[in-house]
Amino acid sequence: MFVHNPFAALPASIPPIAKQIYVAVMFLLVVCGTLFDLAHKGSASYFFRHRRVVSFGARRRVSTGEATALAVETLVVSVLGAGEFCGMWRRITHLLTMYGFVLYVLTTAIMVFAYPTTAAPGPAVVAELWYLGALLVCIGGYWFWFLQRVDVAAEGQSRFRLVRADLFVVSLLASATFALIWAGFQGAGSDVWANVFFGLYLLASTALFASVPWSKFAHMFYKPAAAFQRRIEHANGFRGNLPAPADRPATFGSARRQPQNY
Amino acid sequence: MPTFVYMTSCDGCGYCVDICPSDIMHIDTTYRRAYNVEPNMCWECYSCVKACPQQAIDCRGYADFAPLGHSVRVLREEEKATVSWRIKFRDGREKNFVSPIRTTPWGSIKGPSEYAPPTAAAMSSQELAHEPEGLKVDVLPTLARSRLKKGLV
Amino acid sequence: MSRKTVFVDADILVVGGGMGGCGATYESRYWGRDLKIVCVEKANIERSGAVAQGLYAINCYMGMHWNENQPEDHVRYARNDLMGLVREDLGYDIARHVDATVHKFEEWGLPIMRDPKTGRYQREGKWQIMIHGESYKPIVAEAARKAASEVYNRIMVTHLLMDSRHPNRVAGAVGFNVRNGDFHVFRAKAVIVAAGGASHIFKPRAAGEGMGRTWYAPWSSASAYALPILAGAKMTQMENRIVLTRFKDGYGPVGAYFLHLKTYTQNAYGQDYEAFWRDSIEKLVGDYVNHHPVPTCLRNHALLEEVKAGRGPIRMVTKEAFKDPHKETVGWENFLGMTVGQAVVWASQNIDPKETNPELTTSEPYVMGSHATCSGAWASGPEDYAPAEYQWGYNRMMTVEGLFGAGDTIGGTAHKFSSGSFTEGRIAAKAAVKYVMERSKDRPEISEAEYTQLKKVIYQPLENYRIGRNEIVGGTVSPSYLLPLHGLQRLEKIMDEYVGGIGSHYTTNEPLLTRGLELLAMLKEDLALLGASDLHQLQRAWELQHRVLASECVTQHTLFRQETRWPGYYYRADHPHLDDKDWHCFTLSRYDSQTGRWDMEKAPVYHIID
């Protein structure tokens, strides 16, 4: 059940080119959605205006070599290591969801473009990684959704409340969940149910990629840029107007506990 | 100077929601990040600013009377038991201050149950816990009832 | 809508987790090792209450072991500042214990500055010692957490519960969880109320965002008064509202400036004005003007008169003092550790006290019990020396059995500040432990009918909004419900115009007060129509309820006292002079929540004689 390539096993009435066009369109929706979001909100303009303000308040120049090192650090720590999350468990769910999503999307593209037919469904490992990716998204995503969302955990809102901020994670979870169910029915030979969940999977995935201008999707691109900018600011002395760390040994421990909320 | 949250720095951890004495730090429904929902009930106590692990919260003086262009930012470092302030005037001049915030490790306070239980004599006296030694005088002061006179003196 | 009800049983329930509440929690555990001590706080005890941002001075510390001050000195100082009217038995009681409290704070880790020459605590003036108190509240909260059986954060207590079998005896409290909306019923053998006094009952000087920059914390919503008032406890000195002279707009503290930096005030033309008003003040209050130090209200009065005469703004002369780098540091850190907002105001307006003498102003009035003011509940005094008229059983017990108080809750105890409030919490706690142990065979019982009815009342604003919202398209204007902010602004306007706020130069008279009561009565009726869109608004709704009741009490007391005892705090224009013949006494009130009637009476003042 977890070995077959579900895209190849779709009815022959759907030609490979249709699947490929769909994936390409989804990719374009993300690119255009992000660019539209930037242009419409003017967030890129804000970002560059802020850089000008920082350059006036900077105390020293950051060399190209230094900036490159900071960029690498941003990539490794903030992006690959989800270092923008201050809480350990929230970091973990984000890593699960992030790597799951990357696996899920990449293997989808590989299967759709390289192995779109049952004649050559491709190596089993590709499909296995697709399943794993979707599973990781579900584990990290549902954990986050039910237990960690700050509006639930800190504010006391209902776990089942839906607001616009949920658009990205809900459509992502729906896509991954319906994908697994669809592939499961398909592998078991229940064609009617497989078609139903394939339809739902398509709806959810389209919603996920088409809603980029309205959801938090594009923040996965903005956050690394902001993290890099922050490192530059700490290096050039602007520090966002924050004071420098005190020159004192750290010997008092910390009272910082996870928020007790209520 | 009510508080505001920097969009790109907030990661939605909820520390500010948890600490605010005025219950005005809440979560935005579009971004799932924190923001000040009631600036006119913000005392500028800086509890949220100090609590934020990402230093994502800052303050802008009350619009009623504070012109723009100023900045008062803080770094509270519990491990070093210090608080550092950086004040920037609207005209650009700057002042920096560092103060201690504690002399003992966090969590080190001896709870009242860790002391020997009070005697019955102590219970029936006027002394409070750790007295009279805690007063650093020999005897808890008292008054003779006759020293209190009713009415104008 | 069905809501979960959570029952919590406690031996001692401490309502409010501020300085008073943390002191009560700590001491309750010391004396009641096996008791269940529960502290309930509407915010988070880590930073709740008036000390949220920290303090730069402890203003109540005797220094007995250094022969600096004795408890009697404190009493005389407080008596003098309050124009003769303080509960001297209670004040002495706090003063004799407070040194141990402060020494404990230092042991716990509060950095207290030391005089490099003498090695003693660094004095600001005779009564104040200087601290680096940014984490004053977290340190004290840590002590409370180590003492309590349970600390409930984000639960707002709205009402006390009474014993169903004995009249006039408390049995617990009810409230709601501000986060998840659960209904909480606390059953307790003794209750210590250590909640907040009253800010935002008079219209503040800043009406927009600046509303938040009150001198006293905006979350002090008069629960310290409303809870006992509703339980039928007698209140005292509720007319004694405080007005403060502070730095303009930010209301930053001036104590360190006057006392440590040795600054002084001037009018707009660089003249010293206080001496000019001395004689006219003497005509109002007689010999009290000769007391030293000059009472706070009289200093206010001189400033107010000077401003009225058109010679404002009044400024504090700082240019000389700030040339000294040490004093400059003290001047700024004074704000950063206590009222960051003032540093922000100066940064925003380019005010550097080295170059500019900053403006001072008088604030809108506040009603609280721990500063240069002493409104609050009427409480029984210490057993060893309180006069019989001031004692009916346990120390700091109100006129309701089993109901104790500390901090801003207790009246008559001016100048106790943070350390004194914590100390009063300790005093009340020991008494409450004794009460619980001595009454162990006779525990109070709550009435299901009472808390079921209260549950309906407490959540009513959510229902009002939910149903009433259907009538209008949107926005804030509805003919059938009032938002909490609407009610607050109406209250503040009534109090400002009729009960002596800034808009009326702190002046009122009987016709104004009577009209004010009429308007307050209509506001009270409208409170049944408050509409809350969510739990945060529900908290605001109940804060308003407590504020309105406290304001009604303040107005009744202001009407009752037919004199102007504290010119500079407020004026009865129809009785403009101090009248020691008829009014050298406390005012007491008792509210009957069934009939809505206020019974007023006088109580004698006892002075410690030399």
Side-chain angles (χ1 to χ4, degrees), chain A residues 164-176:
Chain A
R164 196 168 129 187
D166 301 320
L167 187 49
F168 171 60
V169 67
V170 167
S171 55
L172 173 62
L173 277 171
S175 168

Side-chain angles (χ1 to χ4, degrees), chain C residues 7 46 56 60 71 102 143 147 173 177 205 251 268 281 299 306 350 362 364 366 381 432 473 513 524 529:
Chain C
F7 290 94
E46 184 78 358
Y56 196 69
C60 184
V102 175
N177 186 315
R205 283 203 184 273
Y251 288 146
I281 295 176
R299 295 199 69 188
E306 190 68 10
N350 299 326
T362 51
E364 58 281 348
Y366 297 86
V473 170
L513 290 165
K524 262 180 90 169
L529 300 173

